Amino acid sequence: MFRIEPRVQGVTAELLELYEHISPSTIGHLTDFGFLTGLQPLFRPIRLLGNAVTVRIPHIDASAIRHAFELAQPGDIIVVDMSGDEQRACWGEFVTYAALDKKIAGAIISGCVTDVRPITQLRFPVYSKGISALTTRSLQLEGEVNTPVSVSGVSIQPGDLIVGDDDGVFVINPLHAKELGLIAQEKQLKEQQRRKELGYDKRLAGCTDQLAATDNQGGNN
């Protein structure tokens, strides 16, 4: 039996603009709540920002993910609760193609992913608890879409704000996101000013230039 609820647009354009340059590590200085412990990005550098479309699957059957695609809109992030299964992969290469076709912004998986090389080459943002060659099946048994789910002990509602980068990913209730975002934005501005005062911005820029030069030399070989 499938339970398919309407999509929730909890994230506004104003919130997307506010959080465009806010780092999860800044949020992590302000709150413990909403951090998805144990999830890692499939590759770096990475950036994830968008509106949550939630999915709950019963371990082996990942059919509900396809149902979520039918409701998802460009910029959404698919959040999959695998009901405690951390051994199987419910996300792979061809699911990624389908997500790209729908202009989905990324995925958060409470279990594993597979087909690492093509997903990385496609630069599709995915956070998961690991990588596995053991996969789910499409059995059309049951699942839920746009219902409350749990990932890393964090309750995630459809329409929640997802913010991720190289350091990890946070889930934020849109009702409280503006207040938190403004504080985080102010903190980052103060940090940037302090870098300039101490000359750290020049040191960082030098490292960036050196890395770019190294990359260019490698590309010419």
Side-chain angles (χ1 to χ4, degrees), residues 63-74:
S63 304
I65 295 175
R66 298 289 182 178
H67 291 288
F69 284 176
E70 297 173 2
L71 298 177
Q73 294 185 10

Side-chain angles (χ1 to χ4, degrees), residues 17-18 24 44-45 50 58-59 74 89 113 124 128 142 157 174 183 207 213 216:
E17 182 178 1
L18 175 61
R44 293 181 175 92
H59 303 286
V113 298
F124 182 79
S128 71
E142 63 175 335
Q157 305 289 327
I183 297 172
C207 292
N216 289 336

Side-chain angles (χ1 to χ4, degrees), residues 137-205:
R137 313 284 191 271
S138 183
L139 303 176
Q140 293 295 330
L141 297 175
E142 63 175 335
E144 296 181 355
V145 177
N146 287 323
T147 63
V149 299
S150 177
V151 177
S152 298
V154 175
S155 177
I156 304 175
Q157 305 289 327
D160 276 354
L161 174 66
I162 309 293
V163 186
D165 69 4
D166 295 5
D167 298 325
V169 60
F170 265 92
V171 178
I172 304 169
N173 185 324
L175 296 178
H176 311 303
K178 183 176 181 180
E179 179 183 10
L180 180 63
L182 290 172
I183 297 172
Q185 186 180 63
E186 182 180 3
K187 178 176 174 55
Q188 289 190 175
L189 289 173
K190 289 181 178 178
E191 289 176 348
Q192 181 59 25
Q193 182 61 35
R194 183 163 175 77
R195 288 189 195 96
K196 290 181 179 179
E197 291 172 354
L198 298 173
Y200 293 160
D201 59 327
K202 296 178 182 178
R203 180 181 298 179
L204 188 61

